[in-house]
mmCIF file of all heavy atoms in Angstrom:
data_model
loop_
_atom_site.group_PDB
_atom_site.id
_atom_site.type_symbol
_atom_site.label_atom_id
_atom_site.label_comp_id
_atom_site.label_asym_id
_atom_site.label_seq_id
_atom_site.Cartn_x
_atom_site.Cartn_y
_atom_site.Cartn_z
ATOM 1 N N ALA W 12 172.960 79.199 87.951
ATOM 2 C CA ALA W 12 173.621 78.430 86.889
ATOM 3 C C ALA W 12 174.986 79.005 86.496
ATOM 4 O O ALA W 12 175.971 78.253 86.420
ATOM 5 C CB ALA W 12 172.708 78.312 85.671
ATOM 6 N N PRO W 13 175.104 80.315 86.222
ATOM 7 C CA PRO W 13 176.426 80.832 85.838
ATOM 8 C C PRO W 13 177.488 80.618 86.918
ATOM 9 O O PRO W 13 178.623 80.242 86.602
ATOM 10 C CB PRO W 13 176.163 82.329 85.610
ATOM 11 C CG PRO W 13 174.722 82.420 85.293
ATOM 12 C CD PRO W 13 174.065 81.364 86.127
ATOM 13 N N ILE W 14 177.132 80.831 88.176
ATOM 14 C CA ILE W 14 178.116 80.702 89.252
ATOM 15 C C ILE W 14 178.498 79.246 89.479
ATOM 16 O O ILE W 14 179.683 78.896 89.505
ATOM 17 C CB ILE W 14 177.569 81.322 90.558
ATOM 18 C CG1 ILE W 14 177.425 82.837 90.398
ATOM 19 C CG2 ILE W 14 178.499 80.999 91.738
ATOM 20 C CD1 ILE W 14 176.766 83.514 91.585
ATOM 21 N N VAL W 15 177.493 78.387 89.626
ATOM 22 C CA VAL W 15 177.769 76.989 89.964
ATOM 23 C C VAL W 15 178.460 76.262 88.815
ATOM 24 O O VAL W 15 179.453 75.540 89.027
ATOM 25 C CB VAL W 15 176.470 76.261 90.352
ATOM 26 C CG1 VAL W 15 176.748 74.780 90.587
ATOM 27 C CG2 VAL W 15 175.862 76.878 91.597
ATOM 28 N N GLU W 16 177.972 76.430 87.603
ATOM 29 C CA GLU W 16 178.557 75.712 86.471
ATOM 30 C C GLU W 16 179.981 76.165 86.190
ATOM 31 O O GLU W 16 180.853 75.346 85.867
ATOM 32 C CB GLU W 16 177.662 75.866 85.241
ATOM 33 C CG GLU W 16 176.340 75.124 85.396
ATOM 34 C CD GLU W 16 175.424 75.264 84.191
ATOM 35 O OE1 GLU W 16 175.790 75.986 83.238
ATOM 36 O OE2 GLU W 16 174.330 74.659 84.202
ATOM 37 N N GLU W 17 180.245 77.455 86.320
ATOM 38 C CA GLU W 17 181.623 77.928 86.116
ATOM 39 C C GLU W 17 182.527 77.501 87.260
ATOM 40 O O GLU W 17 183.714 77.206 87.056
ATOM 41 C CB GLU W 17 181.641 79.450 85.944
ATOM 42 C CG GLU W 17 180.960 79.934 84.686
ATOM 43 C CD GLU W 17 181.439 79.223 83.439
ATOM 44 O OE1 GLU W 17 182.668 79.174 83.205
ATOM 45 O OE2 GLU W 17 180.586 78.694 82.698
ATOM 46 N N LEU W 18 182.005 77.453 88.458
ATOM 47 C CA LEU W 18 182.787 76.973 89.603
ATOM 48 C C LEU W 18 183.265 75.546 89.363
ATOM 49 O O LEU W 18 184.407 75.202 89.677
ATOM 50 C CB LEU W 18 181.933 77.027 90.869
ATOM 51 C CG LEU W 18 182.587 76.544 92.173
ATOM 52 C CD1 LEU W 18 183.735 77.460 92.558
ATOM 53 C CD2 LEU W 18 181.551 76.483 93.294
ATOM 54 N N ILE W 19 182.402 74.734 88.753
ATOM 55 C CA ILE W 19 182.758 73.343 88.489
ATOM 56 C C ILE W 19 183.651 73.215 87.262
ATOM 57 O O ILE W 19 184.756 72.654 87.329
ATOM 58 C CB ILE W 19 181.491 72.482 88.312
ATOM 59 C CG1 ILE W 19 180.780 72.308 89.655
ATOM 60 C CG2 ILE W 19 181.854 71.113 87.724
ATOM 61 C CD1 ILE W 19 181.538 71.499 90.672
ATOM 62 N N PHE W 20 183.204 73.741 86.117
ATOM 63 C CA PHE W 20 183.887 73.458 84.854
ATOM 64 C C PHE W 20 185.120 74.325 84.623
ATOM 65 O O PHE W 20 186.147 73.825 84.156
ATOM 66 C CB PHE W 20 182.904 73.597 83.685
ATOM 67 C CG PHE W 20 181.879 72.504 83.669
ATOM 68 C CD1 PHE W 20 180.637 72.693 84.258
ATOM 69 C CD2 PHE W 20 182.163 71.274 83.102
ATOM 70 C CE1 PHE W 20 179.693 71.682 84.276
ATOM 71 C CE2 PHE W 20 181.227 70.255 83.122
ATOM 72 C CZ PHE W 20 179.992 70.452 83.702
ATOM 73 N N ARG W 21 185.039 75.615 84.902
ATOM 74 C CA ARG W 21 186.214 76.471 84.725
ATOM 75 C C ARG W 21 186.947 76.691 86.034
ATOM 76 O O ARG W 21 187.971 77.381 86.081
ATOM 77 C CB ARG W 21 185.793 77.813 84.120
ATOM 78 C CG ARG W 21 186.043 77.933 82.623
ATOM 79 C CD ARG W 21 185.320 76.929 81.769
ATOM 80 N NE ARG W 21 183.870 77.109 81.792
ATOM 81 C CZ ARG W 21 183.022 76.420 81.037
ATOM 82 N NH1 ARG W 21 183.481 75.492 80.204
ATOM 83 N NH2 ARG W 21 181.715 76.620 81.117
ATOM 84 N N GLY W 22 186.442 76.107 87.126
ATOM 85 C CA GLY W 22 187.108 76.178 88.417
ATOM 86 C C GLY W 22 187.713 74.851 88.798
ATOM 87 O O GLY W 22 188.893 74.597 88.572
ATOM 88 N N LEU W 23 186.901 73.961 89.361
ATOM 89 C CA LEU W 23 187.395 72.693 89.899
ATOM 90 C C LEU W 23 188.046 71.816 88.833
ATOM 91 O O LEU W 23 189.201 71.377 88.990
ATOM 92 C CB LEU W 23 186.248 71.937 90.557
ATOM 93 C CG LEU W 23 186.590 70.548 91.111
ATOM 94 C CD1 LEU W 23 187.609 70.652 92.245
ATOM 95 C CD2 LEU W 23 185.327 69.842 91.581
ATOM 96 N N LEU W 24 187.331 71.532 87.750
ATOM 97 C CA LEU W 24 187.870 70.632 86.732
ATOM 98 C C LEU W 24 189.050 71.260 85.999
ATOM 99 O O LEU W 24 190.043 70.589 85.699
ATOM 100 C CB LEU W 24 186.769 70.240 85.740
ATOM 101 C CG LEU W 24 185.561 69.517 86.344
ATOM 102 C CD1 LEU W 24 184.554 69.146 85.256
ATOM 103 C CD2 LEU W 24 185.991 68.265 87.106
ATOM 104 N N TRP W 25 188.948 72.548 85.708
ATOM 105 C CA TRP W 25 190.046 73.259 85.021
ATOM 106 C C TRP W 25 191.306 73.233 85.874
ATOM 107 O O TRP W 25 192.390 72.894 85.382
ATOM 108 C CB TRP W 25 189.624 74.694 84.741
ATOM 109 C CG TRP W 25 190.543 75.446 83.825
ATOM 110 C CD1 TRP W 25 191.810 75.877 84.097
ATOM 111 C CD2 TRP W 25 190.259 75.842 82.484
ATOM 112 N NE1 TRP W 25 192.345 76.534 83.024
ATOM 113 C CE2 TRP W 25 191.414 76.529 82.004
ATOM 114 C CE3 TRP W 25 189.154 75.718 81.649
ATOM 115 C CZ2 TRP W 25 191.464 77.073 80.722
ATOM 116 C CZ3 TRP W 25 189.213 76.258 80.365
ATOM 117 C CH2 TRP W 25 190.361 76.918 79.918
ATOM 118 N N ARG W 26 191.163 73.574 87.166
ATOM 119 C CA ARG W 26 192.316 73.611 88.061
ATOM 120 C C ARG W 26 192.918 72.218 88.232
ATOM 121 O O ARG W 26 194.145 72.062 88.297
ATOM 122 C CB ARG W 26 191.898 74.190 89.419
ATOM 123 C CG ARG W 26 193.034 74.300 90.430
ATOM 124 C CD ARG W 26 194.154 75.164 89.926
ATOM 125 N NE ARG W 26 195.281 75.176 90.838
ATOM 126 C CZ ARG W 26 196.539 75.357 90.468
ATOM 127 N NH1 ARG W 26 196.832 75.541 89.197
ATOM 128 N NH2 ARG W 26 197.508 75.362 91.358
ATOM 129 N N SER W 27 192.066 71.209 88.286
ATOM 130 C CA SER W 27 192.559 69.836 88.419
ATOM 131 C C SER W 27 193.442 69.469 87.243
ATOM 132 O O SER W 27 194.513 68.867 87.410
ATOM 133 C CB SER W 27 191.379 68.865 88.510
ATOM 134 O OG SER W 27 190.623 69.078 89.686
ATOM 135 N N MET W 28 193.028 69.829 86.036
ATOM 136 C CA MET W 28 193.817 69.500 84.844
ATOM 137 C C MET W 28 195.078 70.347 84.759
ATOM 138 O O MET W 28 196.107 69.882 84.244
ATOM 139 C CB MET W 28 192.956 69.648 83.590
ATOM 140 C CG MET W 28 191.961 68.490 83.430
ATOM 141 S SD MET W 28 190.972 68.546 81.919
ATOM 142 C CE MET W 28 189.578 69.514 82.496
ATOM 143 N N GLU W 29 195.015 71.583 85.257
ATOM 144 C CA GLU W 29 196.239 72.399 85.319
ATOM 145 C C GLU W 29 197.277 71.732 86.205
ATOM 146 O O GLU W 29 198.473 71.691 85.867
ATOM 147 C CB GLU W 29 195.921 73.783 85.878
ATOM 148 C CG GLU W 29 195.328 74.752 84.897
ATOM 149 C CD GLU W 29 195.155 76.139 85.478
ATOM 150 O OE1 GLU W 29 195.010 76.254 86.715
ATOM 151 O OE2 GLU W 29 195.158 77.117 84.709
ATOM 152 N N ILE W 30 196.849 71.216 87.343
ATOM 153 C CA ILE W 30 197.764 70.552 88.271
ATOM 154 C C ILE W 30 198.401 69.340 87.617
ATOM 155 O O ILE W 30 199.571 69.021 87.864
ATOM 156 C CB ILE W 30 197.010 70.159 89.560
ATOM 157 C CG1 ILE W 30 196.694 71.405 90.380
ATOM 158 C CG2 ILE W 30 197.819 69.165 90.396
ATOM 159 C CD1 ILE W 30 195.824 71.149 91.583
ATOM 160 N N LEU W 31 197.646 68.668 86.743
ATOM 161 C CA LEU W 31 198.160 67.495 86.049
ATOM 162 C C LEU W 31 198.966 67.866 84.804
ATOM 163 O O LEU W 31 199.323 66.992 84.008
ATOM 164 C CB LEU W 31 197.008 66.566 85.668
ATOM 165 C CG LEU W 31 196.245 65.956 86.858
ATOM 166 C CD1 LEU W 31 195.065 65.133 86.362
ATOM 167 C CD2 LEU W 31 197.160 65.111 87.723
ATOM 168 N N LYS W 32 199.235 69.160 84.629
ATOM 169 C CA LYS W 32 200.086 69.682 83.545
ATOM 170 C C LYS W 32 199.496 69.454 82.157
ATOM 171 O O LYS W 32 200.228 69.286 81.171
ATOM 172 C CB LYS W 32 201.488 69.035 83.605
ATOM 173 C CG LYS W 32 202.182 69.130 84.961
ATOM 174 C CD LYS W 32 202.388 70.559 85.402
ATOM 175 C CE LYS W 32 203.135 70.632 86.725
ATOM 176 N NZ LYS W 32 203.279 72.027 87.214
ATOM 177 N N ILE W 33 198.179 69.447 82.076
ATOM 178 C CA ILE W 33 197.522 69.350 80.773
ATOM 179 C C ILE W 33 197.521 70.734 80.138
ATOM 180 O O ILE W 33 197.275 71.736 80.801
ATOM 181 C CB ILE W 33 196.083 68.820 80.926
ATOM 182 C CG1 ILE W 33 196.112 67.409 81.514
ATOM 183 C CG2 ILE W 33 195.344 68.818 79.582
ATOM 184 C CD1 ILE W 33 194.743 66.841 81.823
ATOM 185 N N GLU W 34 197.804 70.807 78.837
ATOM 186 C CA GLU W 34 197.875 72.092 78.150
ATOM 187 C C GLU W 34 196.526 72.795 78.172
ATOM 188 O O GLU W 34 195.472 72.159 78.088
ATOM 189 C CB GLU W 34 198.320 71.894 76.698
ATOM 190 C CG GLU W 34 199.760 71.427 76.556
ATOM 191 C CD GLU W 34 200.174 71.371 75.092
ATOM 192 O OE1 GLU W 34 199.556 72.064 74.253
ATOM 193 O OE2 GLU W 34 201.108 70.618 74.776
ATOM 194 N N SER W 35 196.571 74.126 78.250
ATOM 195 C CA SER W 35 195.352 74.919 78.383
ATOM 196 C C SER W 35 194.385 74.699 77.227
ATOM 197 O O SER W 35 193.166 74.617 77.424
ATOM 198 C CB SER W 35 195.705 76.404 78.489
ATOM 199 O OG SER W 35 196.426 76.664 79.667
ATOM 200 N N ARG W 36 194.909 74.601 76.009
ATOM 201 C CA ARG W 36 194.015 74.414 74.865
ATOM 202 C C ARG W 36 193.310 73.061 74.927
ATOM 203 O O ARG W 36 192.164 72.925 74.495
ATOM 204 C CB ARG W 36 194.775 74.567 73.545
ATOM 205 C CG ARG W 36 195.931 73.586 73.344
ATOM 206 C CD ARG W 36 196.788 73.983 72.147
ATOM 207 N NE ARG W 36 197.921 73.098 71.961
ATOM 208 C CZ ARG W 36 197.905 72.034 71.179
ATOM 209 N NH1 ARG W 36 196.807 71.726 70.505
ATOM 210 N NH2 ARG W 36 198.979 71.270 71.052
ATOM 211 N N HIS W 37 193.985 72.060 75.497
ATOM 212 C CA HIS W 37 193.350 70.760 75.671
ATOM 213 C C HIS W 37 192.310 70.814 76.793
ATOM 214 O O HIS W 37 191.246 70.194 76.692
ATOM 215 C CB HIS W 37 194.397 69.696 75.972
ATOM 216 C CG HIS W 37 195.327 69.430 74.831
ATOM 217 N ND1 HIS W 37 196.639 69.016 75.009
ATOM 218 C CD2 HIS W 37 195.151 69.553 73.497
ATOM 219 C CE1 HIS W 37 197.213 68.874 73.840
ATOM 220 N NE2 HIS W 37 196.337 69.197 72.894
ATOM 221 N N ILE W 38 192.636 71.568 77.845
ATOM 222 C CA ILE W 38 191.677 71.740 78.942
ATOM 223 C C ILE W 38 190.397 72.375 78.416
ATOM 224 O O ILE W 38 189.287 71.985 78.798
ATOM 225 C CB ILE W 38 192.277 72.585 80.074
ATOM 226 C CG1 ILE W 38 193.472 71.878 80.718
ATOM 227 C CG2 ILE W 38 191.215 72.890 81.128
ATOM 228 C CD1 ILE W 38 194.182 72.697 81.784
ATOM 229 N N MET W 39 190.544 73.369 77.545
ATOM 230 C CA MET W 39 189.377 74.053 76.999
ATOM 231 C C MET W 39 188.439 73.073 76.302
ATOM 232 O O MET W 39 187.221 73.091 76.522
ATOM 233 C CB MET W 39 189.808 75.142 76.020
ATOM 234 C CG MET W 39 188.641 75.911 75.407
ATOM 235 S SD MET W 39 189.170 77.234 74.290
ATOM 236 C CE MET W 39 189.671 76.256 72.862
ATOM 237 N N TRP W 40 189.007 72.185 75.479
ATOM 238 C CA TRP W 40 188.165 71.246 74.727
ATOM 239 C C TRP W 40 187.624 70.133 75.615
ATOM 240 O O TRP W 40 186.489 69.681 75.426
ATOM 241 C CB TRP W 40 188.933 70.680 73.543
ATOM 242 C CG TRP W 40 189.224 71.720 72.515
ATOM 243 C CD1 TRP W 40 190.447 72.234 72.170
ATOM 244 C CD2 TRP W 40 188.260 72.423 71.715
ATOM 245 N NE1 TRP W 40 190.316 73.192 71.206
ATOM 246 C CE2 TRP W 40 188.982 73.337 70.903
ATOM 247 C CE3 TRP W 40 186.876 72.372 71.618
ATOM 248 C CZ2 TRP W 40 188.344 74.176 70.001
ATOM 249 C CZ3 TRP W 40 186.241 73.223 70.709
ATOM 250 C CH2 TRP W 40 186.971 74.102 69.911
ATOM 251 N N ILE W 41 188.390 69.712 76.602
ATOM 252 C CA ILE W 41 187.903 68.664 77.509
ATOM 253 C C ILE W 41 186.742 69.193 78.352
ATOM 254 O O ILE W 41 185.710 68.524 78.497
ATOM 255 C CB ILE W 41 189.043 68.152 78.417
ATOM 256 C CG1 ILE W 41 190.095 67.424 77.585
ATOM 257 C CG2 ILE W 41 188.482 67.205 79.489
ATOM 258 C CD1 ILE W 41 191.369 67.092 78.350
ATOM 259 N N THR W 42 186.897 70.396 78.900
ATOM 260 C CA THR W 42 185.817 70.959 79.711
ATOM 261 C C THR W 42 184.593 71.267 78.854
ATOM 262 O O THR W 42 183.449 71.149 79.329
ATOM 263 C CB THR W 42 186.269 72.226 80.454
ATOM 264 O OG1 THR W 42 186.840 73.157 79.514
ATOM 265 C CG2 THR W 42 187.286 71.901 81.527
ATOM 266 N N THR W 43 184.807 71.646 77.605
ATOM 267 C CA THR W 43 183.678 71.893 76.705
ATOM 268 C C THR W 43 182.913 70.598 76.446
ATOM 269 O O THR W 43 181.676 70.586 76.453
ATOM 270 C CB THR W 43 184.173 72.495 75.385
ATOM 271 O OG1 THR W 43 184.710 73.801 75.636
ATOM 272 C CG2 THR W 43 183.040 72.602 74.366
ATOM 273 N N LEU W 44 183.628 69.511 76.236
ATOM 274 C CA LEU W 44 182.976 68.217 76.034
ATOM 275 C C LEU W 44 182.190 67.806 77.268
ATOM 276 O O LEU W 44 181.020 67.387 77.170
ATOM 277 C CB LEU W 44 184.022 67.152 75.701
ATOM 278 C CG LEU W 44 183.506 65.711 75.586
ATOM 279 C CD1 LEU W 44 182.482 65.596 74.469
ATOM 280 C CD2 LEU W 44 184.667 64.737 75.362
ATOM 281 N N LEU W 45 182.795 67.950 78.443
ATOM 282 C CA LEU W 45 182.111 67.588 79.688
ATOM 283 C C LEU W 45 180.906 68.485 79.935
ATOM 284 O O LEU W 45 179.862 68.026 80.429
ATOM 285 C CB LEU W 45 183.088 67.681 80.864
ATOM 286 C CG LEU W 45 184.217 66.650 80.887
ATOM 287 C CD1 LEU W 45 185.204 66.961 82.020
ATOM 288 C CD2 LEU W 45 183.667 65.243 81.043
ATOM 289 N N PHE W 46 181.030 69.763 79.574
ATOM 290 C CA PHE W 46 179.938 70.717 79.739
ATOM 291 C C PHE W 46 178.743 70.323 78.865
ATOM 292 O O PHE W 46 177.589 70.355 79.306
ATOM 293 C CB PHE W 46 180.437 72.115 79.381
ATOM 294 C CG PHE W 46 179.522 73.231 79.769
ATOM 295 C CD1 PHE W 46 179.211 73.471 81.096
ATOM 296 C CD2 PHE W 46 178.977 74.079 78.803
ATOM 297 C CE1 PHE W 46 178.378 74.518 81.466
ATOM 298 C CE2 PHE W 46 178.149 75.128 79.154
ATOM 299 C CZ PHE W 46 177.846 75.345 80.489
ATOM 300 N N ALA W 47 179.032 69.948 77.623
ATOM 301 C CA ALA W 47 177.966 69.520 76.723
ATOM 302 C C ALA W 47 177.318 68.230 77.216
ATOM 303 O O ALA W 47 176.088 68.092 77.198
ATOM 304 C CB ALA W 47 178.526 69.330 75.312
ATOM 305 N N LEU W 48 178.122 67.287 77.674
ATOM 306 C CA LEU W 48 177.584 66.024 78.179
ATOM 307 C C LEU W 48 176.729 66.239 79.423
ATOM 308 O O LEU W 48 175.733 65.538 79.625
ATOM 309 C CB LEU W 48 178.727 65.057 78.491
ATOM 310 C CG LEU W 48 179.462 64.468 77.281
ATOM 311 C CD1 LEU W 48 180.657 63.636 77.746
ATOM 312 C CD2 LEU W 48 178.523 63.626 76.430
ATOM 313 N N ALA W 49 177.107 67.218 80.249
ATOM 314 C CA ALA W 49 176.323 67.508 81.446
ATOM 315 C C ALA W 49 174.925 67.983 81.086
ATOM 316 O O ALA W 49 173.947 67.681 81.777
ATOM 317 C CB ALA W 49 177.034 68.562 82.292
ATOM 318 N N HIS W 50 174.807 68.711 79.970
ATOM 319 C CA HIS W 50 173.494 69.180 79.538
ATOM 320 C C HIS W 50 172.730 68.096 78.769
ATOM 321 O O HIS W 50 171.504 68.148 78.707
ATOM 322 C CB HIS W 50 173.642 70.442 78.688
ATOM 323 C CG HIS W 50 174.018 71.648 79.476
ATOM 324 N ND1 HIS W 50 175.311 71.913 79.877
ATOM 325 C CD2 HIS W 50 173.265 72.670 79.979
ATOM 326 C CE1 HIS W 50 175.339 73.043 80.571
ATOM 327 N NE2 HIS W 50 174.113 73.517 80.654
ATOM 328 N N PHE W 51 173.446 67.148 78.213
ATOM 329 C CA PHE W 51 172.793 66.041 77.504
ATOM 330 C C PHE W 51 172.292 64.977 78.473
ATOM 331 O O PHE W 51 171.397 64.193 78.133
ATOM 332 C CB PHE W 51 173.777 65.412 76.511
ATOM 333 C CG PHE W 51 173.199 64.242 75.753
ATOM 334 C CD1 PHE W 51 172.262 64.447 74.746
ATOM 335 C CD2 PHE W 51 173.583 62.942 76.060
ATOM 336 C CE1 PHE W 51 171.722 63.372 74.052
ATOM 337 C CE2 PHE W 51 173.042 61.869 75.370
ATOM 338 C CZ PHE W 51 172.115 62.082 74.363
ATOM 339 N N GLU W 52 172.842 64.960 79.663
ATOM 340 C CA GLU W 52 172.558 63.900 80.644
ATOM 341 C C GLU W 52 171.067 63.717 80.898
ATOM 342 O O GLU W 52 170.598 62.607 81.153
ATOM 343 C CB GLU W 52 173.303 64.220 81.942
ATOM 344 C CG GLU W 52 173.099 63.243 83.078
ATOM 345 C CD GLU W 52 171.900 63.598 83.924
ATOM 346 O OE1 GLU W 52 171.563 64.792 84.005
ATOM 347 O OE2 GLU W 52 171.287 62.667 84.493
ATOM 348 N N ALA W 53 170.290 64.790 80.805
ATOM 349 C CA ALA W 53 168.851 64.712 81.099
ATOM 350 C C ALA W 53 168.060 64.039 79.981
ATOM 351 O O ALA W 53 166.880 63.726 80.169
ATOM 352 C CB ALA W 53 168.295 66.108 81.339
ATOM 353 N N PHE W 54 168.680 63.785 78.841
ATOM 354 C CA PHE W 54 167.965 63.273 77.664
ATOM 355 C C PHE W 54 167.171 62.005 77.965
ATOM 356 O O PHE W 54 166.027 61.854 77.536
ATOM 357 C CB PHE W 54 168.965 62.999 76.533
ATOM 358 C CG PHE W 54 168.323 62.554 75.248
ATOM 359 C CD1 PHE W 54 167.796 63.485 74.364
ATOM 360 C CD2 PHE W 54 168.248 61.212 74.908
ATOM 361 C CE1 PHE W 54 167.205 63.090 73.172
ATOM 362 C CE2 PHE W 54 167.659 60.801 73.722
ATOM 363 C CZ PHE W 54 167.132 61.745 72.856
ATOM 364 N N SER W 55 167.762 61.098 78.722
ATOM 365 C CA SER W 55 167.103 59.812 78.989
ATOM 366 C C SER W 55 166.016 59.922 80.047
ATOM 367 O O SER W 55 165.266 58.967 80.260
ATOM 368 C CB SER W 55 168.142 58.770 79.424
ATOM 369 O OG SER W 55 168.774 59.164 80.630
ATOM 370 N N ARG W 56 165.912 61.072 80.711
ATOM 371 C CA ARG W 56 164.969 61.208 81.824
ATOM 372 C C ARG W 56 163.812 62.154 81.534
ATOM 373 O O ARG W 56 163.000 62.409 82.414
ATOM 374 C CB ARG W 56 165.718 61.675 83.089
ATOM 375 C CG ARG W 56 166.774 60.703 83.567
ATOM 376 C CD ARG W 56 167.380 61.113 84.904
ATOM 377 N NE ARG W 56 168.265 62.261 84.807
ATOM 378 C CZ ARG W 56 168.005 63.459 85.301
ATOM 379 N NH1 ARG W 56 166.854 63.678 85.919
ATOM 380 N NH2 ARG W 56 168.870 64.448 85.191
#
């Protein structure tokens, strides 16, 4: 979990937003929202 989730959220998604010139503080909150939603996704199942 620590390796895979960080690879995605603080790696792939973070780097993608850096390339798009999104400010770091905004990246932090966007990835945090996506991270929370990823854990909420199982709620319906």
Side-chain angles (χ1 to χ4, degrees):
I14 293 174
V15 175
E16 291 180 357
E17 294 309 307
L18 179 65
I19 289 293
F20 290 95
R21 259 61 66 174
L23 177 64
L24 300 182
W25 191 290
R26 181 59 185 151
S27 295
M28 285 183 271
E29 280 185 333
I30 288 174
L31 296 176
K32 307 300 183 183
I33 298 175
E34 292 185 23
S35 295
R36 60 191 178 93
H37 293 150
I38 296 176
M39 180 178 75
W40 293 112
I41 293 170
T42 53
T43 294
L44 175 61
L45 292 173
F46 192 63
L48 288 174
H50 288 80
F51 179 73
E52 179 272 331
F54 184 82
S55 62
R56 298 187 287 111

